[in-house]
Amino acid sequence: LKNYNSMVKLLTDKFETPKSFEIIRKSKDNIKVESNIAKILLKLIEELEDNEDVQNISSNFEMNEEAMNKLIN
């Protein structure tokens, strides 16, 4: 964050001016969840997406293929 403006200037000088740029907070660690917890988390994300006051949603959970298949079927 401290070097954000200098990085944007450096990239803009080397390449063309971007249409947009933003800071994205990305987790370093992902959390593996089972299908029952994944179902709750996906429901929460769905509810947040439906809320007009919420602009962005991110998560740091992973589910294995078996858990995903349980949710789909």
Side-chain angles (χ1 to χ4, degrees):
L1 188 60
K2 164 170 77 169
N3 299 323
Y4 179 74
N5 290 328
S6 59
M7 182 61 71
V8 169
K9 182 172 179 1
L10 178 76
L11 292 171
T12 301
D13 290 346
K14 184 164 181 147
F15 304 103
E16 60 186 57
T17 303
K19 293 179 183 174
S20 68
F21 45 89
E22 65 183 316
I23 296 174
I24 298 173
R25 295 176 183 250
K26 186 173 180 181
S27 172
K28 291 180 182 178
D29 300 317
N30 288 332
I31 299 170
K32 294 181 181 180
V33 297
E34 300 297 322
S35 60
N36 58 334
I37 300 298
K39 184 176 182 177
I40 294 168
L41 290 170
L42 292 173
K43 178 69 176 163
L44 173 62
I45 290 171
E46 185 179 323
E47 291 292 325
L48 290 170
E49 287 174 340
D50 290 342
N51 185 322
E52 63 185 41
D53 293 331
V54 176
Q55 295 179 3
N56 296 311
I57 301 170
S58 62
S59 65
N60 66 331
F61 72 91
E62 294 179 1
M63 64 179 121
N64 62 27
E65 192 172 330
E66 179 183 338
M68 193 176 300
N69 287 334
K70 283 183 182 179
L71 292 174
I72 293 172
N73 298 324

